[in-house]
């Protein structure tokens, strides 16, 4: 579950809860907030599951759902339900969706870290699948497996290369490799 602060003028504080539809308890009234990935969006919108729409959970059997959208009943399998993000409160989709997108896009990579910061490897990302496979293979061979902790020791003037201390040795990574490594700060 993700929390988003939606107060606009600091006079009222409210944290919005976001969760996958598959985790929603039966009987709850929720609002569609977005989608985990872009696969099947047209199908979902065509079924009436567009962001901002109010839904009621009628039945939840191991993540397989029966929901109500107005007077219509829709069955959703567990795989699809995991892709739909719902909120506990209604919201102005056009205004608040930017906050959700900013939060979803808040990925920290090795290139975002400063000297002496500690982090651990979470996953790999690249713009193309071919680049991702190439960098992943290279980074795995260097011992940068998910869960591995490291410390940034030096950064060159233009950010290329970045030197880290990992598993007791120092390793220099090119800018592209540093951008491919998604990390979590410790």
């Amino acid at each position: 579950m993700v929390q988003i602060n939606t107060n606009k003028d600091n006079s009222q504080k409210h944290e919005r809860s976001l969760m996958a539809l598959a985790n929603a308890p039966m009987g709850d009234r929720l609002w569609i907030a977005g989608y985990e990935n872009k696969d099947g969006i047209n199908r979902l919108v065509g079924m009436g599951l567009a962001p901002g729409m109010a839904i009621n959970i009628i039945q939840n059997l191991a993540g397989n759902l029966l929901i109500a959208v107005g007077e219509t009943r829709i069955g959703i399998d567990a795989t699809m339900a995991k892709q739909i993000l719902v909120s506990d409160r209604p919201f102005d989709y056009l205004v608040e969706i930017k906050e959700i997108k900013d939060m979803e896009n808040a990925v920290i990579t090795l290139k975002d870290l400063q000297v002496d910061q500690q982090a651990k490897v979470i996953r790999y990302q690249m713009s193309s699948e071919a680049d991702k496979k190439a960098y992943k293979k290279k980074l795995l061979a260097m011992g940068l497996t998910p869960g591995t902790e490291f410390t940034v020791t030096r950064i060159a003037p233009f950010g290329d290369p970045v030197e880290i201390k990992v598993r007791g040795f120092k390793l220099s990574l090119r800018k592209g490799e540093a951008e491919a490594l998604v990390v979590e700060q410790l």
Side-chain angles (χ1 to χ4, degrees):
M1 185 176 304
V2 177
Q3 301 288 322
I4 300 176
N5 186 359
T6 59
N7 61 328
K8 300 291 182 207
D9 59 359
N10 293 332
S11 63
Q12 180 185 32
K13 290 202 179 231
H14 170 66
E15 296 288 324
R16 180 177 314 287
S17 295
L18 288 181
M19 68 178 139
L21 181 58
N23 300 331
M26 199 169 72
D28 275 8
R29 181 171 175 87
L30 301 166
W31 288 263
I32 304 290
Y35 312 103
E36 190 66 35
N37 64 39
K38 305 300 181 223
D39 298 336
I41 288 178
N42 291 338
R43 183 173 155 213
L44 293 170
V45 171
M47 292 175 8
L49 300 177
M53 295 297 299
I55 62 170
N56 289 317
I57 310 300
I58 297 171
Q59 190 174 26
N60 187 343
L61 297 170
N64 296 305
L65 300 167
L66 180 62
I67 64 170
V69 180
E71 296 299 317
T72 305
R73 305 294 182 257
I74 301 172
I76 300 175
D77 72 343
T79 303
M80 186 73 72
K82 289 177 184 174
Q83 301 299 318
I84 301 170
L85 298 175
V86 293
S87 172
D88 62 339
R89 303 239 184 239
F91 59 97
D92 180 354
Y93 176 73
L94 295 176
V95 172
E96 295 184 20
I97 198 64
K98 183 179 181 330
E99 294 174 4
I100 294 170
K101 285 195 179 289
D102 289 347
M103 177 197 62
E104 289 173 348
N105 294 332
V107 173
I108 300 172
T109 62
L110 174 55
K111 72 173 182 64
D112 299 319
L113 299 178
Q114 301 297 318
V115 174
D116 294 329
Q117 283 189 306
Q118 293 182 322
K120 72 177 177 179
V121 177
I122 301 298
R123 60 182 168 87
Y124 311 99
Q125 78 171 13
M126 280 306 295
S127 57
S128 76
E129 199 60 35
D131 286 344
K132 182 178 180 179
K133 286 180 182 177
Y135 278 123
K136 181 178 180 180
K137 185 176 180 181
K138 187 174 182 181
L139 293 168
L140 285 170
M142 289 188 270
L144 293 171
T145 58
T148 303
E149 295 182 5
F150 63 89
T151 303
V152 178
T153 55
R154 290 194 306 188
I155 301 173
F158 293 106
D160 190 19
V162 176
E163 183 182 83
I164 62 173
K165 185 172 183 178
V166 59
R167 300 180 191 259
F169 64 94
K170 291 187 178 179
L171 177 65
S172 291
L173 299 170
R174 304 301 302 186
K175 191 174 185 178
E177 296 164 340
E179 289 173 347
L181 202 60
V182 177
V183 300
E184 177 182 306
Q185 290 181 328
L186 300 178

